[in-house]
């Protein structure tokens, strides 16, 4: 069986990245880590990657003339690492068709809402402001839209009457830390098939 090589795109705290990386390093997920790429300097995610002696890079978007050039560099590093799965774990930039085309249904993102509700940024605040009683998180493949790709796993949380953006984000994050590694594991065990919009799990 082929061993998948999982690379990460990160922008910040990196708690989702850390959980998945830990599971790979411990052998709970049968895969290898390729490269960890951040679009921001000195992120917690990068320091966690360095602590674990992982290959990592900071690619400053400001140093590139266009988004395509930035993504060309990202792609070069992903390719060099032999990446077969990309995980965008708190990566705050939209990916263009250029990079998505190179990894069709091979980029997994974690989103802090039950898609298709509340795509884009501040998903937890959007859910609160809307007044929903249930929200949650979604692990999905990345396609060319904003958080529109095929859904792999979802997990719901119940909103309490005194819920705030902070408490809701915490509650959702706990579930993100379950379904993101879950989705990566399924992918790495080749248990996922995508048929149109539908993700079939063996
Ligand atoms: C998570 O809530 C994720 O769903 C969202 O950004 C946050 C990143 O957190 N896209 P972390 O960097 O993984 O800790």
């Amino acid at each position: 069986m082929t061993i998948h090589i999982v690379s990460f795109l990160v922008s910040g705290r990196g708690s989702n990245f850390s959980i998945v990386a830990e599971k790979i390093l411990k052998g709970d997920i049968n895969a290898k880590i390729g490269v960890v790429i951040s679009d921001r300097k000195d992120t917690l995610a990068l320091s966690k990657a360095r602590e674990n002696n992982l290959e990592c890079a900071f690619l400053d978007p400001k140093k590139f003339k266009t988004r395509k050039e930035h993504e060309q560099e990202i792609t070069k590093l992903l390719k060099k690492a032999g990446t077969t799965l990309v995980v965008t774990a708190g990566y705050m930039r939209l990916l263009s068709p250029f990079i998505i085309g190179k990894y069709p249904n091979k980029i997994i993102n974690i989103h802090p809402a039950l898609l298709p509700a509340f795509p884009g940024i501040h998903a937890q605040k959007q859910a609160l402001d809307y007044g929903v009683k249930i929200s949650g998180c979604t692990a999905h493949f990345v396609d060319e839209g904003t958080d529109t790709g095929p859904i792999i796993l979802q997990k719901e949380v119940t909103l309490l009457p005194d819920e705030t953006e902070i408490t809701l984000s915490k509650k959702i994050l706990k579930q993100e830390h379950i379904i993101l590694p879950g989705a990566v594991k399924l992918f790495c065990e080749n248990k996922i098939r995508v048929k149109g919009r539908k993700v079939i799990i063996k």
Side-chain angles (χ1 to χ4, degrees):
M1 205 167 81
T2 48
I3 298 257
H4 280 282
I5 300 191
V6 184
S7 291
F8 297 85
L9 300 183
V10 295
S11 294
R13 182 176 54 181
S15 68
N16 278 291
F17 150 68
S18 296
I19 297 267
V20 177
E22 230 167 68
K23 290 200 182 286
I24 293 175
L25 294 172
K26 278 203 306 202
D28 293 347
I29 297 177
N30 186 26
K32 286 188 174 149
I33 298 175
V35 60
V36 183
I37 303 170
S38 175
D39 64 338
R40 292 189 195 158
K41 212 183 168 190
D42 301 328
T43 53
L44 253 177
L46 273 184
S47 35
K48 281 178 193 162
R50 288 193 192 105
E51 267 167 35
N52 284 293
N53 296 318
L54 299 175
E55 182 81 37
C56 51
F58 159 53
L59 291 181
D60 186 354
K62 286 190 222 105
K63 295 244 163 81
F64 297 85
K65 271 193 228 126
T66 60
R67 173 157 78 152
K68 185 159 179 204
E69 280 178 28
H70 183 235
E71 288 190 349
Q72 269 167 341
E73 198 54 36
I74 294 177
T75 309
K76 217 189 270 175
L77 294 185
L78 292 175
K79 206 170 160 208
K80 195 171 152 220
T83 306
T84 56
L85 173 67
V86 181
V87 177
T88 53
Y91 187 63
M92 297 312 285
R93 227 158 252 284
L94 283 180
L95 297 176
S96 81
F98 170 77
I99 198 162
I100 295 165
K102 304 252 181 247
Y103 294 93
N105 291 330
K106 291 185 175 70
I107 306 176
I108 294 179
N109 181 48
I110 182 75
H111 182 74
L114 289 178
L115 293 170
F118 314 124
I121 57 167
H122 306 306
Q124 300 94 332
K125 182 168 187 310
Q126 289 186 55
L128 264 178
D129 291 350
Y130 198 91
V132 293
K133 306 287 186 201
I134 291 171
S135 189
C137 49
T138 306
H140 65 97
F141 286 113
V142 173
D143 68 2
E144 291 172 12
T146 304
D147 301 320
T148 52
I151 291 170
I152 308 167
L153 295 173
Q154 291 187 300
K155 183 74 191 167
E156 76 285 356
V157 306
T158 302
L159 276 78
L160 298 175
D162 58 351
E163 206 75 66
T164 66
E165 193 182 347
I166 293 174
T167 58
L168 180 60
S169 301
K170 263 194 197 157
K171 218 188 255 186
I172 292 177
L173 191 65
K174 225 169 159 187
Q175 301 306 323
E176 293 180 34
H177 291 169
I178 296 169
I179 67 166
L180 182 62
V184 172
K185 189 173 166 73
L186 287 170
F187 185 96
C188 291
E189 290 173 351
N190 298 313
K191 287 187 175 159
I192 289 180
R193 201 158 54 85
V194 185
K195 218 175 156 199
R197 279 214 52 83
K198 303 227 172 97
V199 171
I200 296 141
I201 298 170
K202 277 190 229 159

